[in-house]
Amino acid sequence: MGLKIGKVTGQYNRWRYTEDLSYAGYSTVNLTKTPANTVTIYDGITPITLGQISSTNYYGSVTTNLSGLGLQPFVIGKKYFVSGYVKNDADVERWFWPRYVGAGANAHGSCYMSITPRRYWTLLTATATNLPQPYWFFNGNGAINNATVTAYIGGFQIELVPDDTKIGVSVMGDSTVAGSSGKKDAENSVEWTRWAEGWLNVPFYNRGVGGNTTQQMIDRWAADMTPLAGDPYYVKYTIIQGGINDLPTQTAEQIVTNLTTMRDLAIADGTIPVMCTISPCNKTGDEETVRNQANALIRSNFNLVIDLDLILKDPANPNQLHPDWVGDGTHFTALGKKAIGQYIANSGIMSFLQPSPYQKLATSPFSQYTDVSYKLSLSNSITL
C-alpha cells in the first residue's frame, strides 16, 4: 500500500496471557460458533466457524470478557495496539469495526476486508471502561454493498505502544469532503474518507461542510478541529481541502493565505498538516484561471500535498472531472471517491506506527484455540 512502517521495539505480545483461553471465553452476538475447520488465513492461523444469523441491518460481534476470566493484559492509562487478521471467502469488499476501543462507542474508524488476508488494528488507551471487554469484530450497517460473505478472523494480538502514539486523521473541507449524503463519519458512509481509513486502517474524522469557503472553515476550526487533536482521537495528521467556493470572489493569493492560516492552526494543535489542491469543478474563464494559479501555489508552498486536481481531472479537459467520476461536475461519483481513498492510501504521504509481526505461540492444552480464530457469515440488506 505504500505505507511507511514504524517499528515497535522492546515490546511483546501481551495476548500470550489470554491466547490459550478455552472456546467458552469468546462471546458472540448474532453469530453461532461451530467446530474448528481446516481453513488457514495467515501463517498457520486456523479459524473456528461462526454460523450465520441474518437480520435487516446486520449486526454481529465477537468479544472477550477479560475481567470475567481473571486476566489482566492491560495497564490502565497505557496505549496498546489491538490487532488481528481478516479475510472474506469471496471477492467482495466490506468494512467492519473493532468495537469499544478507541474514540466513540463503535471505535471510530473502519477496517477493510476482502478476499486477501490482511492485518487490522486499532489503538486503545486502557481505561476502567474498555479494560474488560474489547470487541475483536463488530459488523453493523457499514457494508460497501449488500452481498453476503463469509469472513475469517483470528491471530489476535495486544501489544504495548509508546504513550505518544497517534494514528488519527482529521479532515477539514467543503461538500467534496462531506459528500452529498451528509453521513460523513456514520457507519454507512461511503465518502473518500471512509475508503482512505479502511485501507490505511486508521480513523478519519470527516469535518466537511457543504458550501464552505476557506474563511468559514477558519471560523469553525476551534469548534470542529482543535478538539480532535487530543485523546481519545489520537489525530496525527490534518488534511485541509478548500477553495472551490472561493473561486467566484477571491484571488489565488487570498485562497492560499487562508489555507496557510489553517495550516498554522493545525500545527498549533500539534498535528501535521496535509494540503489539497482544488479539484476540477467545470469552471471557465477567470475562475478556472484562479483555480490553476492557486493549485500552482499550493504545490510550491506546502510540504505535504494531496493533488486532487491531478487525481480527478479529465486529461482531455483539465477543467473537468474525469468522465468516469464526473458526478454533477463539482462532486464526484462513488468511483471517484474510491479513487481518492486509494490514492491517499498508496501515496505514502502519511506514515503511521503499525503492529509488530504476529507472534504465533506454542501449542497449549487448548491447541484447537491457540490462534483464537473464527469464521463469520455476514449479510447486510443495506444497498449504498
Side-chain angles (χ1 to χ4, degrees):
M1 300 293 293
L3 291 176
K4 300 175 183 177
I5 299 175
K7 185 179 181 181
V8 179
T9 59
Q11 311 298 340
Y12 55 91
N13 181 6
R14 296 186 64 89
W15 190 246
R16 65 173 142 187
Y17 296 116
T18 54
E19 193 168 356
D20 292 341
L21 295 178
S22 69
Y23 193 41
Y26 293 84
S27 301
T28 62
V29 174
N30 283 346
L31 296 165
T32 303
K33 295 180 287 190
T34 61
N37 56 45
T38 59
V39 174
T40 298
I41 60 173
Y42 179 82
D43 194 25
I45 298 170
T46 304
I48 296 167
T49 303
L50 293 174
Q52 174 182 334
I53 299 177
S54 299
S55 61
T56 302
N57 295 322
Y58 190 83
Y59 169 86
S61 66
V62 179
T63 183
T64 308
N65 192 322
L66 303 180
S67 63
L69 297 163
L71 299 164
Q72 174 57 285
F74 297 128
V75 175
I76 291 178
K78 292 294 184 179
K79 288 184 178 180
Y80 298 87
F81 274 144
V82 179
S83 63
Y85 285 85
V86 65
K87 74 176 293 291
N88 288 342
D89 66 340
D91 194 13
V92 174
E93 300 172 304
R94 289 185 69 100
W95 292 301
F96 70 99
W97 286 258
R99 199 178 189 194
Y100 295 143
V101 289
N106 291 340
H108 186 91
S110 66
C111 300
Y112 173 84
M113 60 177 169
S114 65
I115 197 169
T116 303
R118 71 191 305 266
R119 189 84 172 267
Y120 71 93
W121 62 91
T122 190
L123 181 63
L124 171 150
T125 297
T127 69
T129 300
N130 62 34
L131 174 64
Q133 187 164 296
Y135 276 57
W136 297 106
F137 180 92
F138 167 74
N139 195 78
N141 296 344
I144 300 168
N145 54 55
N146 66 345
T148 297
V149 299
T150 297
Y152 304 91
I153 66 171
F156 301 147
Q157 182 164 294
I158 297 174
E159 61 184 293
L160 186 67
V161 296
D163 290 341
D164 62 355
T165 300
K166 294 182 178 182
I167 62 170
V169 180
S170 58
V171 187
M172 172 62 82
D174 55 32
S175 59
T176 63
V177 168
S180 58
S181 67
K183 293 174 181 176
K184 298 195 293 187
D185 291 344
E187 289 173 6
N188 53 355
S189 165
V190 287
E191 302 307 326
W192 63 260
T193 49
R194 174 56 41 81
W195 283 104
E197 76 176 358
W199 273 316
L200 282 171
N201 216 108
V202 301
F204 274 56
Y205 301 95
N206 186 323
R207 297 298 179 265
V209 172
N212 260 198
T213 64
T214 53
Q215 182 59 55
Q216 288 172 315
M217 295 175 197
I218 292 170
D219 293 342
R220 62 183 176 88
W221 189 280
D224 286 0
M225 299 296 282
T226 298
L228 299 173
D231 287 352
Y233 301 100
Y234 314 123
V235 166
K236 181 177 181 180
Y237 292 92
T238 295
I239 296 176
I240 300 167
Q241 176 278 327
I244 290 176
N245 296 306
D246 295 70
L247 294 176
T249 60
Q250 303 295 306
T251 66
E253 289 75 16
Q254 289 170 325
I255 292 171
V256 173
T257 294
N258 283 350
L259 293 174
T260 302
T261 296
M262 286 189 277
R263 178 203 64 184
D264 294 343
L265 288 170
I267 293 172
D269 287 341
T271 67
I272 301 170
V274 181
M275 315 307 291
C276 296
T277 56
I278 304 172
S279 56
C281 46
N282 207 28
K283 299 297 184 181
T284 58
D286 291 345
E287 291 185 39
E288 179 64 5
T289 298
V290 170
R291 189 182 75 87
N292 287 321
Q293 290 172 342
N295 282 344
L297 290 171
I298 292 168
R299 294 183 184 108
S300 62
N301 286 6
F302 300 111
N303 293 328
L304 298 178
V305 176
I306 296 171
D307 201 337
L308 294 178
D309 177 53
L310 178 64
I311 302 164
L312 295 170
K313 70 181 180 182
D314 179 355
N317 301 286
N319 69 319
Q320 299 176 17
L321 293 167
H322 190 285
D324 291 342
W325 308 329
V326 69
D328 64 4
T330 298
H331 306 92
F332 16 89
T333 62
L335 287 176
K337 296 172 185 179
K338 184 176 182 180
I340 295 171
Q342 190 167 29
Y343 169 85
I344 292 171
N346 287 335
S347 68
I349 290 173
M350 298 178 289
S351 63
F352 301 93
L353 189 67
Q354 297 189 26
S356 61
Y358 173 66
Q359 299 176 39
K360 183 174 173 59
L361 304 182
T363 300
S364 72
F366 302 110
S367 59
Q368 180 175 328
Y369 317 111
T370 297
D371 297 306
V372 192
S373 302
Y374 299 98
K375 175 183 175 183
L376 316 176
S377 292
L378 311 173
S379 67
N380 191 314
S381 63
I382 300 293
T383 302
L384 301 175

